[in-house]
C-alpha cells in the first residue's frame, strides 16, 4: 500500500544535515538499496538502505536521493530520482510512486526518473565543492557517479580544476543516527517490546524433540503477529553446543532435554531493530554446570548495566564484563593465571571472544564512532546500545572438565542512555534463573 503522507522527521533530518555550517557548498548523494536476485527472476525481500530511508522515507529500489546546495547560497534542494510508473510492471509487482508521488508524498523539491540521472546529476554539481557519497558499496553505482563527475569536469571547459572531491557521508549521518529522537525511541520501544514478548513466549513454547527451525518459525510468527514486518537480522536458534558458534544460522537440529538453547533474535519495527539474546533450558531446569556458567554471565551483565550511564564508556563496560567472566572462569577451574594478564594477552577470548555491546538502531550493528579523538567515547543521553556478555566452552576444549564442554550462554539486552542513567528497553524478557525455571515448570 502506498503512503499518502510522511511525518516531518525525514525533512527535519535533511535540514539538520544541510544546516551544518561546514557543509555549505556540499552535495550529498545516496543510492537506494539494490534488489538482489536469489533465482534467475526472483529477488530476495527488499529492504531500503538505512541512510536512504533515514533521510527520505522512500522505500523503493532503483532510486537516488540528492541533496544539492540551493542557487545563490539559498536553501538546499532535495531531488529524488525514481522508477517511472509502468502499468505492466505494476500489475506484477505493485504500485509505484513515480515522479508525481515522489513530489506529492515525499515533499522533495524536484523528482526525475532514474534514467535521467546521468544527464541531470552533473547539472546539479555547479557551485558544489565537495560530494558526499559512499564509495565501494556497489561498482555500477560508483561507475555512474565517477562518470558524472568526469562529465561535469569536462563541461567546465579548460578550468584546470580537478575532479570534485568525494567524502564518505557516514560519519556525519552516524552522528545524527547515534542520538535517537523521541520519535525514534518510540519505534525502538515497539521493536523491543515485540521482541521481549516473543522471547517470553518462546521460553514457554520450547520442548525437547522440537527442531531449532520450528522455534525460528515461532519467532517469525510472533514478530509478524505483533506488527513487525521482518527480523532485524537472521535469528540464531542454537540448541546445546551450537550456542558456542557465535553467529550460528543453520537452525536445523533437534532440541534435546538437558541442553540449553540460546536464542538471539530481534524484531524490526518502523526500520528500527531490537537485539535480544536469552539462554534457557530446553527442558525444565538448568543443570549444575549450566547454572554455574549462567549465573556468571548474568552477574557480569547486571554489573555492566549498573555501570552504564552518561559519562561511562563501552570500553570500560567491556573491560568490566571481561574481568567478571575471567574471575568466574578462574574460580570454576576453567582457567589458570591472573585476571589482568588473561585479559591483556587476549587469552580471555578462549571463553569470551566477542565485545560486550554495539550501537543499536536502524541497523543491528548501527553506525557510530566508538572512539573520539583516540579516546573511548563517553555515553550520552539518547544513545542506544546492547549489553551482551557471553561465555562459551567449546565442545572440543579438552582442557575444560567434560561437564562444561559445549555450554554456551549469552544474555543480551537493549539499553537507552537517559539524562540520569539508563533504561533497559528489553526488561520484559525474563533472565533471572528462578523466573525462567518457574515459567517452564
Ligand atoms: N545479533 C547479533 C549481535 O548480537 O550482535
Ligand atoms: Mn548484539
Ligand atoms: Mn544479538
Amino acid at each position: 500500500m502506498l503512503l499518502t503522507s510522511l511525518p516531518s522527521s525525514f525533512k527535519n533530518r535533511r535540514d539538520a544535515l544541510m544546516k551544518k555550517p561546514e557543509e555549505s557548498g556540499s552535495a550529498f548523494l545516496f543510492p537506494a538499496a539494490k534488489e538482489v536476485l536469489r533465482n534467475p527472476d526472483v529477488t530476495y525481500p527488499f529492504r531500503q538502505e538505512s541512510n536512504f530511508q533515514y533521510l527520505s522515507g522512500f522505500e523503493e529500489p532503483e532510486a537516488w536521493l540528492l541533496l544539492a546546495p540551493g542557487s545563490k547560497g539559498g536553501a538546499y534542494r532535495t531531488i529524488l530520482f525514481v522508477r517511472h510508473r509502468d502499468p505492466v510492471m505494476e500489475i506484477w509487482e505493485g504500485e509505484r510512486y513515480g515522479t508525481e508521488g515522489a513530489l506529492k508524498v515525499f515533499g522533495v523539491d524536484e523528482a526525475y526518473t532514474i534514467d535521467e540521472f546521468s544527464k541531470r546529476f552533473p547539472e546539479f554539481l555547479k557551485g558544489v565543492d565537495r560530494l558526499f557519497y559512499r564509495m565501494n558499496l556497489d561498482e555500477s553505482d560508483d561507475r555512474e557517479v565517477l562518470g558524472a563527475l568526469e562529465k561535469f569536469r569536462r563541461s567546465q571547459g579548460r578550468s584546470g580544476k580537478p575532479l570534485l572531491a568525494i567524502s564518505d557521508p557516514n560519519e556525519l549521518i552516524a552522528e545524527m543516527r547515534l542520538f535517537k529522537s523521541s520519535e525514534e525511541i518510540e519505534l525502538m520501544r515497539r521493536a523491543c517490546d515485540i521482541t521481549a514478548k516473543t522471547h517470553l513466549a518462546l521460553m514457554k513454547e520450547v520442548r525437547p524433540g522440537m527442531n531449532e527451525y520450528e522455534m525460528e518459525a515461532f519467532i517469525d510468527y510472533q514478530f509478524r503477529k505483533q506488527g513487525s514486518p521482518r527480523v532485524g537480522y537472521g535469528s540464531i536458534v542454537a540448541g546445546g553446543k551450537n550456542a558456542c558458534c557465535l553467529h550460528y544460522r543453520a537452525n536445523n537440529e533437534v532440541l534435546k532435554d538437558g541442553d540449553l538453547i540460546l536464542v538471539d533474535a530481534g524484531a524490526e519495527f518502523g526500520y528500527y531493530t531490537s537485539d535480544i539474546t536469552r539462554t534457557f533450558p530446553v527442558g525444565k531446569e538448568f543443570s549444575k554446570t549450566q547454572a554455574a556458567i549462567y549465573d556468571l554471565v548474568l552477574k557480569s551483565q547486571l554489573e555492566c548495566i549498573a555501570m552504564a550511564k552518561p559519562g561511562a564508556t563501552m570500553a570500560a563496560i567491556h573491560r568490566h564484563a571481561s574481568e567478571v567472566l575471567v574471575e568466574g572462569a578462574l574460580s570454576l577451574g576453567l582457567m589458570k593465571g591472573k585476571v589482568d594478564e588473561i585479559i591483556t594477552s587476549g587469552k580471555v577470548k578462549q571463553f569470551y571472544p566477542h565485545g560486550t555491546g554495539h550501537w543499536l538502531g536502524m541497523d543491528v550493528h548501527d553506525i557510530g564512532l566508538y572512539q573520539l579523538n583516540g579516546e573511548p567515547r563517553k555515553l550520552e543521553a539518547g544513545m542506544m546500545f546492547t549489553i551482551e556478555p557471553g561465555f562459551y566452552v567449546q565442545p572440543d576444549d579438552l582442557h575444560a572438565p567434560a561437564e562444561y564442554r559445549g555450554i554456551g550462554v549469552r544474555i543480551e539486552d537493549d539499553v537507552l542512555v537517559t539524562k540520569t542513567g539508563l533504561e533497559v528497553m528489553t526488561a520484559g524478557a525474563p533472565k533471572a534463573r528462578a523466573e525462567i525455571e518457574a515459567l517452564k515448570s
Side-chain angles (χ1 to χ4, degrees):
M1 194 175 58
L2 295 186
L3 301 172
T4 51
S5 66
L6 204 66
S8 56
S9 45
F10 297 97
K11 179 172 183 312
N12 296 343
R13 291 169 189 159
R14 298 195 294 268
D15 288 348
L17 182 64
M18 294 307 273
K19 262 198 205 112
K20 291 181 191 291
E22 67 272 28
E23 303 326 330
S24 73
S26 297
F28 286 80
L29 179 66
F30 301 93
K34 301 284 172 278
E35 283 196 293
V36 181
L37 284 178
R38 57 151 287 172
N39 301 99
D41 58 357
V42 178
T43 54
Y44 285 101
F46 179 78
R47 179 196 184 267
Q48 190 54 280
E49 194 278 324
S50 296
N51 283 341
F52 192 98
Q53 178 68 22
Y54 183 73
L55 292 167
S56 75
F58 188 73
E59 285 189 81
E60 288 185 14
E62 294 183 78
W64 293 94
L65 173 69
L66 173 63
L67 310 179
S71 45
K72 301 195 190 80
Y76 72 96
R77 289 173 291 171
T78 303
I79 302 103
L80 263 181
F81 292 89
V82 301
R83 298 185 299 188
H84 59 83
R85 299 290 310 268
D86 181 333
V88 175
M89 286 310 290
E90 289 182 48
I91 287 174
W92 286 90
E93 294 179 350
E95 254 186 299
R96 299 174 175 186
Y97 288 100
T99 50
E100 214 172 286
L103 287 168
K104 207 163 98 197
V105 180
F106 295 89
V108 300
D109 301 304
E110 296 171 48
Y112 303 101
T113 52
I114 184 125
D115 49 3
E116 291 188 88
F117 180 76
S118 54
K119 174 173 154 274
R120 292 201 179 263
F121 172 50
E123 292 168 7
F124 285 104
L125 295 175
K126 285 190 195 97
V128 169
D129 47 38
R130 183 155 58 149
L131 175 68
F132 280 93
Y133 165 74
R134 180 147 221 213
M135 296 286 295
N136 284 334
L137 289 182
D138 181 87
E139 270 181 42
S140 71
D141 284 352
D142 289 355
R143 256 197 314 277
E144 182 121 39
V145 170
L146 291 174
L149 294 192
E150 181 58 26
K151 194 165 161 186
F152 172 67
R153 186 164 68 114
R154 288 198 194 149
S155 74
Q156 309 273 288
R158 193 176 298 283
S159 66
K161 283 193 181 165
L163 210 61
L164 207 58
I166 300 181
S167 300
D168 190 333
N170 257 33
E171 200 174 319
L172 289 166
I173 313 275
E175 281 309 297
M176 296 171 64
R177 280 176 50 187
L178 188 54
F179 295 92
K180 276 37 178 197
S181 66
S182 53
E183 195 179 332
E184 290 177 292
I185 290 169
E186 280 321 302
L187 295 172
M188 291 286 321
R189 205 181 289 290
R190 279 292 300 275
C192 289
D193 186 52
I194 292 169
T195 307
K197 286 197 170 99
T198 298
H199 277 261
L200 170 63
L202 190 73
M203 286 175 192
K204 297 184 192 162
E205 183 73 10
V206 171
R207 298 275 179 282
M210 289 178 166
N211 197 294
E212 291 167 346
Y213 52 61
E214 278 180 80
M215 299 301 97
E216 183 178 9
F218 181 85
I219 292 165
D220 289 341
Y221 174 64
Q222 295 293 330
F223 284 178
R224 297 300 298 271
K225 198 166 79 151
Q226 295 176 81
S228 157
R230 60 192 151 242
V231 292
Y233 53 91
S235 304
I236 296 166
V237 183
K241 64 177 171 34
N242 295 336
C244 297
C245 171
L246 298 179
H247 282 171
Y248 175 73
R249 286 289 295 121
N251 296 355
N252 61 2
E253 287 192 33
V254 174
L255 298 166
K256 293 200 255 331
D257 201 6
D259 276 352
L260 296 180
I261 174 172
L262 179 154
V263 177
D264 184 344
E268 194 175 284
F269 188 84
Y271 273 84
Y272 290 80
T273 190
S274 172
D275 179 10
I276 301 184
T277 307
R278 289 292 183 264
T279 311
F280 48 94
V282 170
K284 292 202 182 310
E285 49 195 25
F286 291 81
S287 73
K288 228 170 119 206
T289 42
Q290 289 165 349
I293 303 270
Y294 189 88
D295 290 351
L296 174 59
V297 176
L298 185 59
K299 172 174 155 51
S300 88
Q301 207 239 9
L302 292 173
E303 290 186 15
C304 288
I305 289 175
M307 275 177 82
K309 50 169 121 17
T313 69
M314 300 265 268
I317 291 170
H318 180 56
R319 168 78 199 192
H320 186 73
S322 304
E323 281 171 7
V324 174
L325 294 172
V326 170
E327 277 160 16
L330 292 171
S331 71
L332 292 173
L334 291 167
M335 286 188 128
K336 288 196 180 69
K338 298 230 167 336
V339 174
D340 193 52
E341 196 274 324
I342 291 170
I343 293 174
T344 38
S345 66
K347 283 186 211 144
V348 57
K349 294 202 168 110
Q350 181 188 346
F351 297 113
Y352 185 34
H354 59 78
T356 303
H358 49 82
W359 306 130
L360 187 69
M362 297 183 82
D363 294 314
V364 60
H365 300 148
D366 213 29
I367 55 173
L369 291 177
Y370 289 88
Q371 297 221 323
L372 288 181
N373 306 317
E375 296 288 327
R377 176 174 207 149
K378 290 193 164 59
L379 296 175
E380 294 175 57
M383 292 172 163
M384 282 209 63
F385 64 104
T386 65
I387 300 186
E388 52 177 305
F391 196 95
Y392 315 85
V393 186
Q394 293 301 325
D396 58 358
D397 183 348
L398 299 181
H399 299 294
E403 63 273 27
Y404 283 103
R405 288 178 212 156
I407 297 179
V409 173
R410 180 164 66 253
I411 304 173
E412 175 173 30
D413 280 300
D414 304 341
V415 301
L416 167 71
V417 185
T418 62
K419 285 207 174 74
T420 50
L422 191 85
E423 182 184 339
V424 180
M425 302 274 259
T426 45
K431 61 186 173 185
R433 196 153 55 80
E435 204 180 332
I436 293 174
E437 285 179 337
L439 274 174
K440 306 208 59 142
S441 60

